[in-house]
Amino acid sequence: MKLDYRFVRNENPKPHPEDESKLGFGRIFTDYMFMMDYDSANGWHDMRIVPFDYIPVHPASTVFHYGAEIFEGLKAYRTADGKIQMFRPVENIRRMNNSAERLCLPQVDEELFMSILETIVGTEKDWVPHSDGTSLYIRPFMYGNDPHLGVHAVHNATFVVICSPVGAYYAEGINPVRIAIESTDVRAVRGGTGYAKCGGNYAASLRAGEKAEKNGFTQVLWLDSVERRYIEEVGSMNVMFKINGEIVTPALLGSVLPGITRKSCIELLKEKGYKVSERKISVDELFEAAASGTLEEAWGTGTAAVVSPIGWLHYLDSEYTVSGGKIGPVTQMLYDTLTDIQWGRAADTHGWIHPVA
Ligand code: COI
């Protein structure tokens, strides 16, 4: 589908980052962004690619008062022969529409959404970095902007896509991270918005995240909100454990984000003959496995985090070192297999790669 949009030239393009080893995550933005507006009478309209800039928003807007906001995160990769490709974008498109459904925000037609992604990434292709482990992070987001204070489903919304050249999400890179299991705050409840990618879930996670960081941890691992026993997710990634040869990951029961990297890792693990169980896993089971030596590996999966080994797990007064504080063989295999596909070093036998330019 060819996108029908207007283009406003950026008269002040920025210099591209010289040292790609210092990109970090989400601090540098490209020259352009995609925008379109929605109202119930006209649907989505005024598709445009405009210079990256501040966005004027009405002070009474739904997004400011009632948190009507959803987002996605996916990446475009530069291959050794200079091609630009995205990884499983249709999964992000579908997940964003599921998030929109949960928050009463409007749907975006799948073909239109794909064409928007292709067009903005095509426009910004020179911003896709070249160095190993770097990519262009694509952040579509949508917010409700009805300009009045009544609490109602949204009738006006804006959809935006911004892009950021990125390196590793964690300062640790591919080295193991320290994770604190949170015993007080919860991130999401069943029947709530945990499975949707909405800003409110992340806002609710900030207090515990801040506390964990102050105590020397990279991130928080959430427990379920009812019994405070079952492992959920980290927030910036889903989690997987290798216990006695079996891969275990929390089942998607409504309060955990259905990660696309999670799904891809499960598919890869099954193909390689691992037994993968998507089920409830309690913190007691995890620490019993750690104490008896059967917790062999732990890692997180996410678009930003890719596959990130967990080296230390802290809960109340106990701390366990996993895999000797080193990346384990299954974690390394997943990281290598996935990143080889993403950067075009291995054949895409799954139909996961979507070429852009
Ligand atoms: C992602 O992995 O793309 C995320 O959205 C996680 C985080 C940076 C919020």
Side-chain angles (χ1 to χ4, degrees), residues 271-348:
E271 275 170 29
K272 295 202 188 272
Y274 287 96
K275 179 167 186 247
V276 184
S277 301
E278 296 178 64
R279 63 167 169 86
K280 282 176 147 186
I281 169 163
S282 71
V283 68
D284 315 301
E285 178 185 345
L286 196 63
F287 281 131
E288 272 160 31
S292 67
T294 54
L295 175 60
E296 295 156 11
E297 292 183 49
W299 65 91
T301 63
T303 298
V306 194
V307 173
S308 180
I310 297 173
W312 298 271
L313 279 166
H314 182 97
Y315 179 54
L316 302 174
D317 296 325
S318 310
E319 179 149 315
Y320 285 94
T321 303
V322 189
S323 201
K326 298 196 174 62
I327 184 166
V330 175
T331 314
Q332 185 75 58
M333 177 280 289
L334 282 174
Y335 179 85
D336 293 341
T337 311
L338 200 64
T339 55
D340 280 353
I341 298 171
Q342 290 169 332
W343 272 276
R345 295 186 293 262
D348 169 33

Side-chain angles (χ1 to χ4, degrees), residues 5-11 31-32 48-52:
Y5 68 100
R6 67 188 169 88
F7 180 76
V8 180
R9 178 171 300 283
N10 187 335
E11 301 300 344
D31 289 321
Y32 291 97
R48 56 209 189 265
I49 288 185
V50 294
F52 183 93

Side-chain angles (χ1 to χ4, degrees), residues 238 250-259 262 278:
N238 296 106
L252 303 177
L253 298 174
S255 48
V256 169
L257 188 83
R262 174 189 182 278
E278 296 178 64

Side-chain angles (χ1 to χ4, degrees), residues 139-158:
R139 173 53 70 88
F141 62 100
M142 188 197 295
Y143 54 92
N145 52 13
D146 288 6
H148 45 71
L149 296 177
V151 183
H152 299 290
V154 160
H155 298 290
N156 293 268
T158 297

Side-chain angles (χ1 to χ4, degrees), residues 11-279:
E11 301 300 344
N12 296 300
K14 293 173 277 224
H16 290 212
E18 268 171 32
D19 185 355
E20 292 186 348
S21 69
K22 298 209 168 70
L23 285 175
F25 183 84
R27 294 192 310 244
I28 299 164
F29 297 94
T30 64
D31 289 321
Y32 291 97
M33 58 189 186
F34 173 85
M35 293 185 80
M36 62 180 178
D37 300 309
Y38 174 91
D39 64 63
S40 349
N42 300 301
W44 288 110
H45 58 275
D46 195 13
M47 288 153 211
R48 56 209 189 265
I49 288 185
V50 294
F52 183 93
D53 205 352
Y54 290 88
I55 302 173
V57 184
H58 193 282
S61 259
T62 336
V63 63
F64 291 141
H65 304 273
Y66 309 124
E69 191 268 351
I70 56 172
F71 67 95
E72 269 303 323
L74 68 160
K75 285 175 172 171
Y77 307 83
R78 184 182 294 279
T79 65
D81 55 357
K83 294 195 191 94
I84 308 294
Q85 52 191 34
M86 293 186 281
F87 182 74
R88 309 191 81 172
V90 74
E91 297 286 337
N92 295 89
I93 291 173
R94 292 185 180 150
R95 189 171 63 184
M96 186 137 175
N97 276 330
N98 284 340
S99 303
E101 194 278 332
R102 179 64 185 85
L103 272 86
C104 283
L105 282 159
Q107 298 284 300
V108 178
D109 172 79
E110 282 188 15
E111 243 188 284
L112 168 66
F113 201 147
M114 188 66 88
S115 167
I116 290 168
L117 293 176
E118 290 167 352
T119 308
I120 188 67
V121 175
T123 305
E124 298 296 53
K125 61 180 186 302
D126 293 344
W127 279 92
V128 183
H130 296 73
S131 315
D132 241 16
T134 63
S135 55
L136 187 72
Y137 185 76
I138 307 160
R139 173 53 70 88
F141 62 100
M142 188 197 295
Y143 54 92
N145 52 13
D146 288 6
H148 45 71
L149 296 177
V151 183
H152 299 290
V154 160
H155 298 290
N156 293 268
T158 297
F159 176 88
V160 189
V161 186
I162 56 174
C163 301
S164 167
V166 298
Y169 183 69
Y170 296 122
E172 290 90 336
I174 181 69
N175 294 318
V177 292
R178 301 175 70 84
I179 296 291
I181 300 179
E182 171 60 29
S183 51
T184 312
D185 289 358
V186 294
R187 171 187 169 274
V189 296
R190 275 202 234 167
T193 56
Y195 70 89
K197 207 158 173 62
C198 64
N201 291 342
Y202 296 81
S205 77
L206 296 178
R207 183 171 73 172
E210 184 76 355
K211 183 180 74 183
E213 255 180 55
K214 278 202 185 113
N215 292 325
F217 298 99
T218 318
Q219 294 251 313
V220 161
L221 177 56
W222 300 101
L223 297 179
D224 78 282
S225 59
V226 179
E227 296 185 53
R228 311 284 176 102
R229 276 181 66 204
Y230 295 102
I231 305 285
E232 300 232 305
E233 61 161 86
V234 166
S236 55
M237 50 189 197
N238 296 106
V239 284
M240 296 187 178
F241 305 98
K242 181 161 174 264
I243 302 177
N244 214 7
E246 180 187 349
I247 313 299
V248 182
T249 190
L252 303 177
L253 298 174
S255 48
V256 169
L257 188 83
I260 294 156
T261 313
R262 174 189 182 278
K263 180 175 178 173
S264 308
C265 285
I266 292 173
E267 289 172 40
L268 290 173
L269 285 160
K270 285 187 176 166
E271 275 170 29
K272 295 202 188 272
Y274 287 96
K275 179 167 186 247
V276 184
S277 301
E278 296 178 64
R279 63 167 169 86

